[in-house]
């Protein structure tokens, strides 16, 4: 055989082996796809999907399918895509219920924006799962940025972000740097917020970020005002905080420590270290020893800067510790809105303590509560009548900050009744429970996005960064009437003097306890929003 043929033959054999090897490598290393756009990474299915995939969470299967049907209605018209980014998979039953509450809010908000307003562009909703504690957020954000540049997807906003963590801060930072607007409906950490400055132009840390929930520092001020002198007596208060400093724990601890107190010096802040956001670890034993120590002090009001899982354990241990003090009050932030879902029958018994009055009262700042507006409006009318010789107020006299949110909540109740006509639904299962505030807040987030989409009134699909520019227009006459309160956004994209609902865990006499609405607390030293929600630079 001539030499050139031997060389050619060798080259052909080598090429065949290389091609076969590449094919084999490709075959063996193909991504393990859970669904369209969703890849299995370890034990998690990570990615973005709007085709009814529920990320192996049976609690949201029906809601994911309902969103798919809503998406199918709009796919042939003018639409934009909105991503709900949050961890969707959990094996914890309480967390599964939380996720369902959030996603029901997104679905109801999509339905309201698409059917209620009836104007284009409509909203196509996709679910974006970044994994537990957002650990794969970088992979998901890359997909979302591509979708924002896609003429088919037309992603125009990301919402649903529900945990104040370093990972979520990184995700919001990267999205906004790529001009993708973000509407944060459930994060309270001060680190994921633009600072307001009403006297000069300041470049925002997160251009295009809007929030519809007060920050932890605002929550702490509102709670301190609401509870009066007792909660500001240094000798009677103590801060208990989690050393595992995610943004929520850290900024809430800083906010509680910054409350201006008077009286003799009290206890220094007491730390503990949790095993994780939803991990009990050894916290029960730590809190048992801590409770014994607190018995020997004057402190009867505890500001708790930690997550719901650990708040439950702390309240239980404090209530179960023999102590001559008749009563403790624990005050915490918005993460406690899910506390009732974590409570076990024995926890309620511990809190009751076999007394006429519960040994421990757990009070927290809820972003909203369904009893707030009717209760506050009735009290306002009674006070008005007492000051006006028993005369009932005219409609023009009623405060907007109560009347308009009540109207928005009534609309939400009407929408729930429409979709769950018999109190249940073969297609959607059980209706949402609004008491935990999660459904209300995520719903208000989608309603706010809908308001921004329709702000210009031309029916066109907005450019990528348009919504980020429109956020600051949503005040005064363009305020958003949210079920959780009036949403009036400042130039930095923050909610202006938005109230919190002060809620207490009520153990009752037996069985499962309830959430008791106590009152509204306003971040601006108890002063409610101004007429027409006009933003004043002095506040």
């Amino acid at each position: 055989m001539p030499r050139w043929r031997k060389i050619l033959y060798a080259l052909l054999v080598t090429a065949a082996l290389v091609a076969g090897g590449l094919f084999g490598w490709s075959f063996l290393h193909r991504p393990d796809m859970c669904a369209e756009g969703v890849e299995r990474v370890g034990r998690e299915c990570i990615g973005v999907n709007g085709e009814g995939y529920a990320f192996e969470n049976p609690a949201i299967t029906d809601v994911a399918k309902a969103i798919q049907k809503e998406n199918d209605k709009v796919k042939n018209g003018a639409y934009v895509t909105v991503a709900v980014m949050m961890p969707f998979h959990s094996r914890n039953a309480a967390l599964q219920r939380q996720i369902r509450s959030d996603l029901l809010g997104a679905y109801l908000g999509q339905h309201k924006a698409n059917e209620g307003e009836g104007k284009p562009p409509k909203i196509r909703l996709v679910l974006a799962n970044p994994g537990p504690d957002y650990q794969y957020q970088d992979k998901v954000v890359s997909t979302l940025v591509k979708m924002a540049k896609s003429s088919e997807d037309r992603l125009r906003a990301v919402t649903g972000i529900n945990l104040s963590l370093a990972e979520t801060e990184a995700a919001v930072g990267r999205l906004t740097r790529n001009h993708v607007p973000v509407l944060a409906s459930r994060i309270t950490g001060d680190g994921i917020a633009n600072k307001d400055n009403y006297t000069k132009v300041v470049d925002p840390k997160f251009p295009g970020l809007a929030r519809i929930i007060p920050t932890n520092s605002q929550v702490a001020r509102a709670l301190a005002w609401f509870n009066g002198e007792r909660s500001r007596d240094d000798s009677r208060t103590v801060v208990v905080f989690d050393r595992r400093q995610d943004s929520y724990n850290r900024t809430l601890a800083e906010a509680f420590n910054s409350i201006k107190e008077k009286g003799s010096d009290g206890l220094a802040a007491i730390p503990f270290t949790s095993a994780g956001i939803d991990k009990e670890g050894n916290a029960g034993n730590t809190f048992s020893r801590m409770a014994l120590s607190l018995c020997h002090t004057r402190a009867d009001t505890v500001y708790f800067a930690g997550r719901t899982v650990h708040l439950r354990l702390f309240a239980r241990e404090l209530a179960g510790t023999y102590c001559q003090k008749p009563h403790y009050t624990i005050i915490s932030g918005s993460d406690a809105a899910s506390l009732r879902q974590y409570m076990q029958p024995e926890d309620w018994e511990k809190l009751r303590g076999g007394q006429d009055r519960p040994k421990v009262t757990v009070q927290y700042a809820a972003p909203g509560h369904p009893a707030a507006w009717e209760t506050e409006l009735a009290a306002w009318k009674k006070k008005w009548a007492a000051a006006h010789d028993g005369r009932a107020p005219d409609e023009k006299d009623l405060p907007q900050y109560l009347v308009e949110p009540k109207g928005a909540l009534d609309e939400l109740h009407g929408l729930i009744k429409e979709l769950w006509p018999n109190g249940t639904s073969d297609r959607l299962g059980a209706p949402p429970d609004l008491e935990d505030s999660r459904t209300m807040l995520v719903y208000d987030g989608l309603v706010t996005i809908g308001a921004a989409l329709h702000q210009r009134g031309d029916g066109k699909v907005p450019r990528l960064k348009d919504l980020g520019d429109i956020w600051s227009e949503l005040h005064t006459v363009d305020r958003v009437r949210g079920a959780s309160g009036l949403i009036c956004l400042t130039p930095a994209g923050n909610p202006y003097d938005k109230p919190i609902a002060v809620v207490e865990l009520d153990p009752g006499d037996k069985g499962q306890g309830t959430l008791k609405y106590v009152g509204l607390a306003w971040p601006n030293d108890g002063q409610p929003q101004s007429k027409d929600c006009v933003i004043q630079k002095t506040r």
Side-chain angles (χ1 to χ4, degrees), residues 233-441:
D233 182 344
D234 198 5
S235 67
R236 296 179 61 185
T237 63
V238 62
V239 175
V240 172
F241 70 97
D242 190 349
R243 274 200 192 97
R244 189 193 54 76
Q245 300 245 323
D246 61 41
S247 181
Y248 173 83
N249 293 336
R250 176 177 55 79
T251 58
L252 187 59
E254 290 172 351
F256 283 152
N257 276 312
S258 69
I259 293 173
K260 293 180 180 178
E261 296 183 311
K262 44 192 173 183
S264 57
D265 288 344
L267 292 174
I270 303 175
F272 69 97
T273 304
S274 70
I277 286 178
D278 57 355
K279 296 179 176 64
E280 292 187 7
N282 198 40
N285 291 333
T286 300
F287 293 146
S288 179
R289 295 191 299 273
M290 193 182 295
L292 283 172
S293 297
L294 286 173
C295 275
H296 299 281
T297 72
R298 288 194 62 205
D300 59 8
T301 300
V302 181
Y303 287 106
F304 187 87
R307 295 288 181 173
T308 303
V309 169
H310 312 112
L311 173 59
R312 166 187 159 258
L313 295 173
F314 179 73
R316 188 182 71 183
E317 294 302 321
L318 197 60
T321 301
Y322 175 76
C323 190
Q324 291 184 341
K325 284 180 196 166
H327 186 257
Y328 283 101
T329 298
I330 304 172
I331 299 174
S332 196
S334 63
D335 194 70
S338 301
L339 178 59
R340 190 179 65 162
Q341 296 182 7
Y342 283 85
M343 296 290 285
Q344 302 297 319
E346 58 270 23
D347 298 332
W348 294 112
E349 287 299 325
K350 282 279 184 74
L351 261 61
R352 279 188 279 269
Q355 304 177 48
D356 293 336
R357 182 190 183 197
K359 188 170 181 182
V360 170
T361 296
V362 181
Q363 181 190 98
Y364 63 87
H369 192 279
W373 311 119
E374 188 170 347
T375 303
E376 295 296 328
L377 196 55
W380 189 94
K381 288 178 178 178
K382 184 177 180 180
K383 188 176 180 180
W384 168 278
H388 294 81
D389 300 321
R391 178 172 65 86
D394 296 329
E395 287 295 319
K396 63 179 177 60
D397 298 318
L398 297 175
Q400 294 166 322
Y401 59 82
L402 298 179
V403 174
E404 292 182 1
K406 181 182 182 302
L409 181 60
D410 289 344
E411 287 183 9
L412 176 55
H413 279 303
L415 184 55
I416 292 171
K417 189 173 182 180
E418 174 191 332
L419 295 170
W420 287 268
N422 302 311
T424 186
S425 166
D426 293 337
R427 182 169 63 91
L428 282 166
D433 179 0
L434 300 185
E435 280 198 343
D436 71 356
S437 78
R438 306 185 78 92
T439 298
M440 289 173 64
L441 262 289

Side-chain angles (χ1 to χ4, degrees), residues 21 41 58 90 132 156 161 182 184 198 230 239 245 255 263 287 305 323 337 400 403 417 436 456 492 523-524 534:
V41 182
S90 175
R156 290 298 178 267
I161 298 168
V182 175
Y198 300 113
R230 173 182 59 81
V239 175
Q245 300 245 323
F287 293 146
C323 190
Q400 294 166 322
V403 174
K417 189 173 182 180
D436 71 356
R456 303 287 163 84
N524 188 44
V534 174

Side-chain angles (χ1 to χ4, degrees), residues 43-108:
R43 299 174 66 186
E44 283 281 329
C45 289
I46 306 300
V48 183
N49 182 280
E51 306 303 321
Y53 181 64
F55 293 92
E56 300 182 343
N57 182 348
I60 63 170
T61 299
D62 49 3
V63 193
K65 293 293 185 185
I67 288 171
Q68 177 192 16
K69 289 184 178 180
E70 191 68 30
N71 289 345
D72 288 342
K73 293 179 187 177
V74 306
K75 64 183 180 182
N76 294 322
Y79 69 85
V80 302
T81 298
V82 173
V84 182
M85 183 179 178
M86 54 182 283
F88 282 107
H89 178 69
S90 175
R91 293 172 177 82
N92 180 293
L95 273 175
Q96 287 182 355
R97 289 192 292 271
Q98 284 182 215
I99 295 165
R100 178 180 173 81
S101 290
D102 284 342
L103 196 57
L104 279 171
Y107 169 64
L108 288 163

Side-chain angles (χ1 to χ4, degrees), residues 3-18:
R3 186 164 178 249
W4 67 269
R5 286 189 177 180
K6 289 181 180 180
I7 295 172
L8 179 60
Y9 178 77
L11 289 173
L12 288 172
V13 170
T14 302
L17 289 172
V18 170

